Amino acid sequence: IHFMEKGLDSGPILKQVSVKIGPKDTLHNLYQKAITKGSEMMIEVLKELKISAFDLIANDDSKATYNNWPEKEDVEKFRKLGRRFF
């Protein structure tokens, strides 16, 4: 969760967490994990903002990543590893 700025996802970060990906995770349940974690974080951030008790994390452009929609080859590799989307 970050403050908005003119650039894409460039604002200072208020809170971030990692979501573990298990060998049997699907795209669907990873979305569910992300939504659950994101909702919990949003509640925490709103409470922190209300009392001005937050620490900003610098949003370093050199560490930025971008996830695009998978290409056909990505899907084939994903399935060969025994993974599934749903």
Side-chain angles (χ1 to χ4, degrees):
I1 297 174
H2 61 86
F3 280 113
M4 300 288 292
E5 285 189 351
K6 190 174 183 175
L8 180 64
D9 294 338
S10 62
I13 300 166
L14 288 154
K15 192 169 289 286
Q16 63 185 3
V17 296
S18 296
V19 176
K20 292 191 181 217
I21 301 174
K24 298 199 183 242
D25 278 328
T26 64
L27 179 63
H28 178 74
N29 77 322
L30 288 174
Y31 277 129
Q32 290 175 322
K33 284 182 181 184
I35 289 167
T36 299
K37 288 285 188 186
S39 300
E40 292 167 356
M41 283 192 331
M42 183 59 77
I43 291 168
E44 292 173 22
V45 166
L46 290 172
K47 287 178 182 177
E48 292 169 1
L49 287 171
K50 186 175 181 179
I51 60 172
S52 297
F54 56 89
D55 294 316
L56 295 178
I57 302 166
N59 199 342
D60 185 350
D61 283 342
S62 70
K63 295 180 182 178
T65 59
Y66 176 75
N67 293 316
N68 57 356
W69 199 251
E71 301 290 330
K72 182 178 178 181
E73 296 81 19
D74 299 321
V75 173
E76 289 171 1
K77 181 179 175 184
F78 182 80
R79 288 187 172 146
K80 282 181 184 177
L81 291 172
R83 306 303 295 264
R84 57 193 180 92
F85 291 100
F86 294 94

